[in-house]
Amino acid sequence: MGKVYVLDHPLIQHKLSYIRDKRTGTKEFRELVDEVAMLMAYEITRDMPLKEIEIETPVTTCKTKVIAGKKVGLVPILRAGLGMVDGMRKLIPAAKVGHVGLYRDPETLEPVEYYVKLPTDINERELIVIDPMLATGGSAAAAVTALKNRGAQNMKLMCLIAAPEGIEKFQQIHPEIDIYVAAVDEKLDDHGYIVPGLGDAGDRLFGTK
Ligand code: PRP
Ligand code: URA
């Protein structure tokens, strides 16, 4: 079974509190999500393999380490996942970015796919699927299924906030995939919103309602 990692670095937790606060306006919300995404990228890449190389410093030659292994791909789930891409690319600038467009039908809460555009070599990349909210889990599960159907083999899921219901559903459908979150909240409300959550991530990022 994939693991659930709660990234509880104090800076992540501090910034998440202001992200949650309803008084935080669009500009600050966007900036905070960007910063937290960068900090989460730092944590999620801890297991990247290294290889030894030899370089010359101005003083002498030395053996030193650089990242080895698979290249990274970032796959934000549109729209709200877009808000986390730039922060992650600050730390992983060579990552290619694919997009999966899904929206949650407000009546059924089922995800509806409307767009998929991916790097051609996704089967060779370590993919990080990004969405701020793991609520019912339907969108993230559908995005990962869409990626698997197109050849993706190595994936991690990264979200700001997850509901226990979303984690359970995602793990039922994709039991091998690790999930990285900044917080696991209490529950879903009757409309499928995470409680206490942060409201509608897409609307808060893009100033819509
Ligand atoms: C939100 C969020 C997730 C989804 C989570 O997207 O960004 O993609 O809901 O809910 P789930 O786990 O119950 O599927 P939304 O459908 O509001 O679309 P948007 O990002 O375009 O605003
Ligand atoms: N999507 C959101 O943006 N927020 C939630 O709480 C649930 C789904």
Side-chain angles (χ1 to χ4, degrees), residues 80 104 131-136 188-189 191-203:
R104 207 169 65 149
D131 195 322
M133 310 306 277
L134 185 66
T136 65
L188 295 178
D189 71 11
H191 305 286
Y193 275 82
I194 300 177
V195 181
L198 53 72
D200 188 304
D203 284 347

Short mmCIF file of all heavy atoms in Angstrom, two decimals, residues 80 104 131-136 188-189 191-203, ligand 2:
data_model
loop_
_atom_site.label_atom_id
_atom_site.label_comp_id
_atom_site.label_asym_id
_atom_site.label_seq_id
_atom_site.Cartn_x
_atom_site.Cartn_y
_atom_site.Cartn_z
N ALA A 80 -6.97 24.21 -10.53
CA ALA A 80 -6.30 24.67 -9.31
C ALA A 80 -4.85 24.16 -9.21
O ALA A 80 -4.01 24.83 -8.61
CB ALA A 80 -7.10 24.25 -8.08
N ARG A 104 -15.11 18.99 -11.39
CA ARG A 104 -16.00 18.14 -10.61
C ARG A 104 -17.42 18.58 -10.86
O ARG A 104 -17.77 19.74 -10.61
CB ARG A 104 -15.64 18.34 -9.12
CG ARG A 104 -15.95 17.19 -8.26
CD ARG A 104 -15.34 17.36 -6.90
NE ARG A 104 -15.88 18.50 -6.15
CZ ARG A 104 -15.98 18.54 -4.84
NH1 ARG A 104 -15.56 17.51 -4.12
NH2 ARG A 104 -16.46 19.58 -4.23
N ASP A 131 -2.48 18.65 -7.20
CA ASP A 131 -3.80 19.28 -7.03
C ASP A 131 -3.88 19.78 -5.60
O ASP A 131 -3.57 19.02 -4.68
CB ASP A 131 -4.92 18.26 -7.30
CG ASP A 131 -6.27 18.92 -7.48
OD1 ASP A 131 -6.56 19.92 -6.79
OD2 ASP A 131 -7.03 18.44 -8.32
N PRO A 132 -4.28 21.01 -5.36
CA PRO A 132 -4.34 21.47 -3.96
C PRO A 132 -5.28 20.64 -3.10
O PRO A 132 -5.02 20.44 -1.92
CB PRO A 132 -4.85 22.91 -4.06
CG PRO A 132 -4.63 23.32 -5.46
CD PRO A 132 -4.64 22.07 -6.30
N MET A 133 -6.39 20.15 -3.68
CA MET A 133 -7.42 19.53 -2.85
C MET A 133 -7.67 18.07 -3.22
O MET A 133 -7.93 17.75 -4.38
CB MET A 133 -8.76 20.29 -3.00
CG MET A 133 -8.64 21.80 -2.83
SD MET A 133 -7.87 22.29 -1.29
CE MET A 133 -9.23 22.21 -0.15
N LEU A 134 -7.61 17.19 -2.23
CA LEU A 134 -8.02 15.79 -2.40
C LEU A 134 -9.28 15.64 -1.55
O LEU A 134 -9.19 15.41 -0.35
CB LEU A 134 -6.91 14.86 -1.92
CG LEU A 134 -7.12 13.36 -2.13
CD1 LEU A 134 -7.14 13.01 -3.61
CD2 LEU A 134 -6.04 12.55 -1.42
N ALA A 135 -10.43 15.83 -2.19
CA ALA A 135 -11.69 15.87 -1.43
C ALA A 135 -12.36 14.50 -1.44
O ALA A 135 -12.10 13.67 -0.58
CB ALA A 135 -12.57 16.98 -1.99
N THR A 136 -13.20 14.23 -2.45
CA THR A 136 -13.74 12.86 -2.57
C THR A 136 -12.67 11.92 -3.12
O THR A 136 -12.80 10.70 -3.02
CB THR A 136 -14.94 12.80 -3.53
OG1 THR A 136 -14.50 13.14 -4.85
CG2 THR A 136 -16.05 13.76 -3.13
N LEU A 188 -15.44 15.65 4.90
CA LEU A 188 -16.12 16.38 3.82
C LEU A 188 -17.47 16.87 4.33
O LEU A 188 -18.11 16.18 5.13
CB LEU A 188 -16.36 15.48 2.62
CG LEU A 188 -15.14 14.96 1.87
CD1 LEU A 188 -15.60 14.04 0.73
CD2 LEU A 188 -14.31 16.11 1.32
N ASP A 189 -17.92 18.03 3.81
CA ASP A 189 -19.29 18.44 4.15
C ASP A 189 -20.26 17.85 3.12
O ASP A 189 -19.86 17.09 2.22
CB ASP A 189 -19.41 19.96 4.28
CG ASP A 189 -19.29 20.70 2.95
OD1 ASP A 189 -19.33 20.02 1.89
OD2 ASP A 189 -19.18 21.93 2.96
N HIS A 191 -21.59 19.04 0.60
CA HIS A 191 -21.35 19.44 -0.79
C HIS A 191 -19.99 18.94 -1.29
O HIS A 191 -19.52 19.37 -2.34
CB HIS A 191 -21.42 20.97 -0.93
CG HIS A 191 -22.70 21.53 -0.42
ND1 HIS A 191 -23.89 21.40 -1.09
CD2 HIS A 191 -22.98 22.20 0.73
CE1 HIS A 191 -24.86 21.97 -0.39
NE2 HIS A 191 -24.33 22.46 0.72
N GLY A 192 -19.34 18.10 -0.51
CA GLY A 192 -18.05 17.56 -0.93
C GLY A 192 -16.90 18.52 -0.71
O GLY A 192 -15.82 18.35 -1.29
N TYR A 193 -17.10 19.54 0.13
CA TYR A 193 -16.00 20.45 0.47
C TYR A 193 -15.26 19.94 1.71
O TYR A 193 -15.88 19.38 2.62
CB TYR A 193 -16.51 21.87 0.71
CG TYR A 193 -16.63 22.62 -0.59
CD1 TYR A 193 -17.74 22.47 -1.41
CD2 TYR A 193 -15.60 23.45 -1.03
CE1 TYR A 193 -17.85 23.12 -2.62
CE2 TYR A 193 -15.69 24.10 -2.24
CZ TYR A 193 -16.82 23.93 -3.03
OH TYR A 193 -16.89 24.56 -4.24
N ILE A 194 -13.95 20.17 1.71
CA ILE A 194 -13.14 19.72 2.83
C ILE A 194 -13.37 20.64 4.03
O ILE A 194 -13.36 21.87 3.89
CB ILE A 194 -11.65 19.68 2.45
CG1 ILE A 194 -11.44 18.70 1.28
CG2 ILE A 194 -10.81 19.27 3.65
CD1 ILE A 194 -10.00 18.62 0.77
N VAL A 195 -13.56 20.04 5.20
CA VAL A 195 -13.78 20.76 6.46
C VAL A 195 -12.59 20.52 7.39
O VAL A 195 -12.23 19.36 7.63
CB VAL A 195 -15.07 20.26 7.15
CG1 VAL A 195 -15.30 21.03 8.46
CG2 VAL A 195 -16.27 20.38 6.23
N PRO A 196 -11.88 21.55 7.90
CA PRO A 196 -12.13 22.98 7.66
C PRO A 196 -11.65 23.46 6.28
O PRO A 196 -12.19 24.43 5.77
CB PRO A 196 -11.34 23.67 8.78
CG PRO A 196 -10.26 22.71 9.12
CD PRO A 196 -10.82 21.34 8.91
N GLY A 197 -10.66 22.85 5.67
CA GLY A 197 -10.27 23.15 4.30
C GLY A 197 -9.80 24.57 4.07
O GLY A 197 -9.25 25.23 4.98
N LEU A 198 -10.03 25.03 2.86
CA LEU A 198 -9.68 26.41 2.50
C LEU A 198 -10.71 27.01 1.55
O LEU A 198 -10.51 28.07 0.99
CB LEU A 198 -8.27 26.47 1.88
CG LEU A 198 -7.94 25.55 0.69
CD1 LEU A 198 -8.61 25.97 -0.59
CD2 LEU A 198 -6.42 25.52 0.49
N GLY A 199 -11.83 26.31 1.36
CA GLY A 199 -12.83 26.76 0.40
C GLY A 199 -12.54 26.18 -0.98
O GLY A 199 -11.97 25.10 -1.10
N ASP A 200 -12.91 26.93 -2.01
CA ASP A 200 -12.71 26.46 -3.38
C ASP A 200 -11.35 26.95 -3.87
O ASP A 200 -11.13 28.15 -4.07
CB ASP A 200 -13.83 27.01 -4.27
CG ASP A 200 -13.77 26.40 -5.66
OD1 ASP A 200 -12.71 26.52 -6.33
OD2 ASP A 200 -14.76 25.79 -6.08
N ALA A 201 -10.42 26.01 -4.03
CA ALA A 201 -9.04 26.38 -4.34
C ALA A 201 -8.95 27.14 -5.67
O ALA A 201 -8.25 28.15 -5.77
CB ALA A 201 -8.18 25.12 -4.39
N GLY A 202 -9.65 26.65 -6.69
CA GLY A 202 -9.59 27.31 -8.01
C GLY A 202 -10.12 28.73 -7.93
O GLY A 202 -9.51 29.67 -8.45
N ASP A 203 -11.25 28.91 -7.28
CA ASP A 203 -11.83 30.25 -7.17
C ASP A 203 -10.91 31.19 -6.40
O ASP A 203 -10.75 32.35 -6.76
CB ASP A 203 -13.20 30.18 -6.47
CG ASP A 203 -14.28 29.65 -7.40
OD1 ASP A 203 -14.04 29.59 -8.62
OD2 ASP A 203 -15.37 29.32 -6.89
N1 URA B 2 -12.47 21.38 -4.26
C1 URA B 2 -12.06 22.51 -3.64
O1 URA B 2 -11.55 23.43 -4.27
N2 URA B 2 -12.23 22.59 -2.31
C2 URA B 2 -12.77 21.61 -1.59
O2 URA B 2 -12.90 21.75 -0.36
C3 URA B 2 -13.20 20.45 -2.26
C4 URA B 2 -13.02 20.36 -3.60
#
